[in-house]
Amino acid sequence: LLWRHSSQKRKVLNCFLECKQGLFAGRRFRVGTGLSIGRAASSSVKYSDDYPHVSRDHCRITYDPKSGLYLLFDTSSTGTFVNGKAFSKTAPYILANGDKISFIKDAEVYIFRNSTV
């Protein structure tokens, strides 16, 4: 039981988003237990207030310790896509290593990386 807990903690600490295209191209953002993208001052990945087509709270990634999964929530008014497809706002998307998260017609593209996989 102790080993499982410490491996889950390591998994959380090693995940990040890598921006492949857009305003933050070339930068990596640590996910940890959660990360948010948007124009709000509290966003982990903060866009300027006048940045077009990015909502105040555009999307969030959270870690669920019970399942050991990373969940993506679309909280935008313009849509968030995973691997080129929109997903339902009523349920989170379960992220896997290498998933491509994009918005603004692929002007902003991030890759979810889990280095323990």
Side-chain angles (χ1 to χ4, degrees), residues 6-115:
S6 76
S7 68
Q8 283 182 344
K9 187 174 183 179
R10 190 178 74 241
K11 181 179 178 181
V12 171
L13 296 174
N14 289 332
C15 291
F16 60 91
L17 277 185
E18 181 179 359
C19 187
K20 289 297 205 179
Q21 184 171 316
L23 185 64
F24 300 108
R27 291 190 56 196
R28 292 173 18 156
F29 301 92
R30 186 177 161 284
V31 175
T33 58
L35 176 136
S36 61
I37 298 174
R39 293 182 291 116
S42 60
S43 296
S44 309
V45 181
K46 167 120 175 53
Y47 286 84
S48 65
D49 288 337
D50 60 349
Y51 199 83
H53 308 293
V54 173
S55 300
R56 240 180 109 58
D57 182 19
H58 198 89
C59 61
R60 287 178 284 123
I61 297 173
T62 61
Y63 176 71
D64 178 19
K66 288 183 182 178
S67 65
L69 300 173
Y70 289 89
L71 307 173
L72 175 67
F73 295 86
D74 179 9
T75 51
S76 73
S77 58
T78 57
T80 302
F81 299 82
V82 178
N83 301 324
K85 296 181 181 179
F87 66 97
S88 171
K89 289 181 184 264
T90 59
Y93 179 87
I94 299 169
L95 285 168
N97 188 46
D99 277 344
K100 177 178 126 180
I101 301 166
S102 61
F103 45 94
I104 316 173
K105 297 183 180 179
D106 281 345
E108 300 293 325
V109 177
Y110 294 86
I111 305 295
F112 176 76
R113 300 283 187 206
N114 182 341
S115 61

